[in-house]
Amino acid sequence: MDTENQNQELESASATLMDGMHFAGAIDSFRIDLDADASVGGVGAGPQPHRLLLAMASCTAMDVISILRKKRQLVSGLCVQVQGSRADQHPKVYTRFEVFYRVRGTNIDPRALERSIELSTTRYCPVIGLLRKVAPVTTRYEIEEEAMC
């Protein structure tokens, strides 16, 4: 029996049927609409629940911007795009992920960005930590230089 995590507070989420295949997801005081694909009765009321890509993108984006700021990098913009491939057969799990970081700023040090990405993907982002156990995660980045006024 695993006793290491017995004293940790459990996180919770719920999904409540609204209509058809449309569910209202709730996490803390936030609501997220979820829906199925149209081929199984969805009506486009929200993303499909298995679409973990947004969780991965936002998790690593928050890590990377935080680390870059601590490294005193002059970042004026950050966009993280995640692409994932899924298996053809049910349960159609993800088979690979690619994370692309687009950073805009002045004199961004590529080594600082690389280290920030490395720390996020290997130490801090729990979404990547979980998903990399089932599928490889690759990363790449682009720096857009912004001229100083």
Side-chain angles (χ1 to χ4, degrees):
M1 182 174 164
D2 181 14
T3 58
E4 184 178 325
N5 295 329
Q6 281 185 343
N7 295 329
Q8 289 183 337
E9 186 175 330
L10 292 175
E11 295 180 7
S12 64
S14 64
T16 303
L17 179 63
M18 301 305 288
D19 186 37
M21 294 295 285
H22 173 204
F23 282 79
I27 300 173
D28 299 326
S29 62
F30 301 101
R31 179 186 157 169
I32 301 168
D33 287 301
L34 305 161
D35 204 350
D37 188 74
S39 66
V40 292
V43 295
Q48 297 168 18
H50 66 269
R51 305 291 297 270
L52 303 169
L53 305 179
L54 179 58
M56 182 184 285
S58 57
C59 178
T60 189
M62 289 181 189
D63 290 341
V64 168
I65 194 65
S66 176
I67 296 165
L68 287 172
R69 287 174 177 161
K70 287 176 185 171
K71 292 178 175 285
R72 301 190 190 285
Q73 297 297 297
L74 301 175
V75 177
S76 60
L78 171 64
C79 178
V80 178
Q81 297 172 308
V82 177
Q83 293 183 319
S85 294
R86 295 178 56 213
D88 293 330
Q89 301 297 317
H90 286 287
K92 297 187 179 182
V93 297
Y94 283 100
T95 57
R96 71 178 183 87
F97 298 97
E98 182 178 287
V99 186
F100 176 61
Y101 302 81
R102 179 174 285 118
V103 179
R104 185 175 59 254
T106 305
N107 297 322
I108 303 296
D109 181 354
R111 292 174 306 226
L113 177 55
E114 290 167 5
R115 180 66 176 148
S116 300
I117 292 169
E118 177 188 5
L119 287 170
S120 175
T121 59
T122 62
R123 186 177 299 172
Y124 295 124
C125 177
V127 178
I128 291 178
L130 174 68
L131 294 177
R132 86 167 342 122
K133 291 182 179 190
V134 296
V137 177
T138 59
T139 63
R140 60 189 181 92
Y141 68 86
E142 176 181 288
I143 298 173
E144 296 177 6
E145 185 65 26
E146 196 169 75
M148 293 203 40
C149 298

